[in-house]
């Protein structure tokens, strides 16, 4: 599925997008049919029989996703969490334990702790930059899945994927990487040793804030069989229109990400010097603790910037509600800039837990608008706030 010599941007546009044989349509037609007539009993024409089991529009997206992550198999789901749920069901059994970052996406932690917790799956959140501690945890018999998100949401910490793959494999465990924040353009975890990549395609892959979806990519045939069976038997598939919109978004991922990265870098550099700002969390800043590692395992530093304000919670609320271009909304990764107050929005579900986020923190999803307009918008929202010293 993936062996070719094309570059990323070429694959993004061509992988899985064969010319339509009937009309020569350059864009593959969108298939809504839920059922497929065999050529006589038991004689499927192209392998399709029923829409939950397979759909050509979904296949087209899955081929594109596999090529871009450098994997052999991809599965497209109705949401990122549906994809995560399918993985957990496929690879975990009661009595086993997931070791995960202590700043993972709140919804992933909620799924693992409050849904799968009830079915006997334990979890241990910890600081994944502490490799000795991770190795100790993974040495336990019940630790069978290591769950990594890098860069993490919303603290932007960077985790060493290759080092964690080694630790997981030495302990007969699997390494999963949630690659939502980086996107396959900036980081390809399978090439660094990860066993499974998961995405919320709702974010950078779809890229236009108009379709919810998720994806799983792996090169392991056995894992793929298990995950494929989960998808078929449970049914959390993406519908044809959602798959089509995601494919359309994915075609422009490379050019979008380049702009997200350069805009985010400029904003991070601008905010570092702002008196109302206590700290900027962006791996593209040379003094970010993960800068060197990110330079090694990523092609660019991404479009997400988190900021802590001198004026605490009140200042964060004022800025979150005071921007004009940055829209106050959950989610990320779209072409338009979004502002999020994680403490009460995306990460409200982890308040009071080990995964709680600081009250003075804002998370910016930097879009691809003109960067001068974005900087001016942030400056006017920050004006008049308590400053440093
Ligand atoms: C949004 C998100 C998810 C969940 O995906 P949905 O498509 O909302 O179900 C998982 N991981 C990360 C890092 C996310 O940002």
């Amino acid at each position: 599925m993936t062996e070719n010599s094309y570059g990323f941007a070429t694959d993004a546009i061509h992988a899985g997008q064969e010319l339509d044989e009937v009309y020569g349509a350059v864009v593959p037609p969108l298939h809504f049919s839920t059922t497929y007539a065999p050529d006589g009993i038991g004689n499927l024409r192209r392998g399709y029989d029923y829409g939950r089991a397979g759909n050509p529009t979904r296949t087209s997206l899955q081929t594109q996703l596999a090529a871009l992550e450098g994997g052999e198999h991809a599965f497209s789901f109705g949401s990122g969490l549906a994809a995560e749920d399918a993985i957990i069901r496929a690879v975990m059994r009661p009595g086993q334990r997931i070791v995960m970052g202590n700043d993972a996406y709140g919804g992933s932690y909620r799924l693992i702790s409050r849904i799968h917790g009830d079915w006997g799956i334990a979890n241990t959140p910890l600081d994944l930059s502490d490799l000795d501690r991770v190795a100790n945890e993974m040495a336990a018999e019940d630790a069978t899945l290591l769950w990594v998100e890098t860069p993490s949401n919303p603290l932007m910490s960077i985790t060493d994927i290759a080092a964690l793959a080694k630790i997981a494999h030495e302990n007969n465990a699997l390494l999963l990487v949630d690659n939502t924040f980086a996107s396959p353009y900036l980081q390809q975890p399978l090439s660094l040793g990860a066993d499974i990549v998961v995405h919320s395609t709702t974010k950078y892959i779809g890229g236009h804030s108009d379709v919810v979806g998720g994806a799983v990519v792996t090169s392991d045939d056995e894992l793929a069989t298990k995950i494929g069976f989960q998808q078929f038997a449970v049914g959390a598939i993406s519908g044809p229109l959602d798959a089509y919109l995601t494919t359309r978004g994915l075609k422009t991922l490379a050019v979008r990400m380049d702009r997200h990265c350069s805009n985010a870098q400029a904003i991070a550099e601008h905010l570092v010097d702002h008196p109302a700002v206590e700290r900027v969390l962006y791996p593209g800043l040379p003094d970010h603790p993960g800068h060197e590692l990110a330079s090694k395992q990523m092609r660019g530093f991404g479009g997400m910037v988190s900021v802590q304000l001198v004026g605490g919670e009140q200042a964060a609320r004022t800025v979150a509600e005071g921007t004009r271009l940055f829209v106050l909304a959950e989610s990320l990764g779209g072409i338009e800039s979004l502002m999020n107050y994680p403490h009460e929005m995306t990460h409200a579900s982890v308040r009071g837990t080990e995964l709680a986020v600081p009250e003075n923190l804002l998370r910016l999803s930097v879009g691809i608008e003109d960067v001068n307009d974005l900087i001016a918008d942030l400056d006017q929202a920050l004006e008049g706030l308590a400053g440093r010293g």
Side-chain angles (χ1 to χ4, degrees):
M1 207 189 260
T2 59
E3 294 314 316
N4 66 42
S5 54
Y6 292 133
F8 187 95
T10 307
D11 271 341
I13 291 165
H14 295 286
Q17 313 301 309
E18 285 77 29
L19 209 64
D20 159 49
E21 285 173 19
V22 181
Y23 298 106
V26 171
V27 176
L30 210 174
H31 293 275
F32 281 110
S33 186
T34 57
T35 187
Y36 301 82
D39 193 10
I41 295 172
N43 243 346
L44 301 184
R45 291 168 205 258
R46 295 285 179 92
Y48 296 100
D49 54 2
Y50 180 61
R52 174 163 32 72
N55 166 291
T57 305
R58 198 162 88 232
T59 302
S60 155
L61 169 60
Q62 292 176 162
T63 305
Q64 189 188 21
L65 283 165
L68 296 184
E69 277 292 358
E72 292 295 324
H73 312 275
F75 302 91
S76 162
F77 285 84
S79 73
L81 287 176
E84 295 181 5
D85 178 63
I87 295 167
I88 297 169
R89 289 168 191 272
V91 308
M92 303 292 290
R93 291 294 172 267
Q96 295 181 334
R97 185 160 55 98
I98 300 175
V99 174
M100 62 192 296
N102 60 7
D103 58 352
Y105 171 65
S108 302
Y109 183 65
R110 180 178 56 207
L111 170 71
I112 289 167
S113 61
R114 293 182 53 192
I115 302 295
H116 291 281
D118 282 352
W119 295 93
I121 309 291
N123 68 81
T124 306
L126 48 79
D127 174 2
L128 294 178
S129 66
D130 184 349
L131 297 181
D132 290 337
R133 171 120 197 258
V134 178
N136 274 340
E137 288 294 338
M138 295 309 295
E141 189 71 14
D142 66 342
T144 56
L145 180 62
L146 181 51
W147 187 290
V148 176
E149 205 184 304
T150 180
S152 72
N153 176 10
L155 298 181
M156 305 305 295
S157 47
I158 304 294
T159 301
D160 190 336
I161 296 174
L164 290 186
K166 193 160 167 279
I167 293 172
H169 296 155
E170 280 168 1
N171 292 287
N172 298 316
L174 297 171
L175 176 67
L176 171 147
V177 176
D178 181 337
N179 205 25
T180 299
F181 263 42
S183 90
Y185 178 63
L186 298 182
Q187 173 172 282
Q188 294 176 319
L190 298 178
S191 72
L192 299 167
D195 301 287
I196 307 169
V197 169
V198 67
H199 279 284
S200 169
T201 59
T202 315
K203 316 294 169 53
Y204 286 105
I205 286 181
H208 296 73
S209 308
D210 57 4
V211 56
V212 172
V216 180
V217 188
T218 182
S219 286
D220 183 313
D221 295 343
E222 210 178 303
L223 279 175
T225 302
K226 289 183 188 172
I227 291 162
F229 179 72
Q230 281 292 328
Q231 182 176 56
F232 165 68
V234 178
I237 53 167
S238 53
L241 182 58
D242 289 3
Y244 172 79
L245 285 171
T246 306
T247 281
R248 189 168 70 164
L250 189 44
K251 287 178 183 175
T252 58
L253 182 68
V255 286
R256 284 188 285 110
M257 289 315 295
D258 282 339
R259 178 69 81 91
H260 282 297
C261 290
S262 63
N263 279 3
Q265 184 76 36
I267 285 173
E269 286 172 7
H270 177 78
L271 292 178
V272 157
D273 295 327
H274 198 289
V277 171
E278 178 184 285
R279 196 153 77 113
V280 178
L281 307 172
Y282 185 67
L285 296 174
D287 63 351
H288 184 283
H291 178 69
E292 211 175 303
L293 182 55
S295 311
K296 248 188 355 196
Q297 74 183 13
M298 299 175 76
R299 186 205 291 249
F301 302 106
M304 300 301 295
V305 179
S306 288
V307 185
Q308 289 182 268
L309 298 181
V310 175
E313 172 174 1
Q314 197 44 56
R317 287 175 176 276
T318 302
V319 173
E321 294 177 350
T323 50
R324 295 168 189 155
L325 274 174
F326 278 86
V327 178
L328 180 65
E330 306 224 357
S331 199
L332 61 111
I335 51 177
E336 67 286 292
S337 292
L338 299 179
M339 168 73 71
N340 169 40
Y341 182 55
H343 185 66
E344 240 177 65
M345 295 171 64
T346 47
H347 290 62
S349 67
V350 292
R351 255 189 293 178
T353 74
E354 263 186 272
L355 284 79
V357 296
E359 290 177 5
N360 68 342
L361 184 96
L362 293 171
R363 189 191 76 185
L364 315 183
S365 174
V366 177
I368 64 172
E369 299 97 334
D370 288 298
V371 72
N372 292 337
D373 293 331
L374 296 178
I375 288 175
D377 187 34
L378 292 170
D379 279 348
Q380 66 80 26
L382 284 162
E383 211 171 275
L385 293 178
R388 277 186 292 241

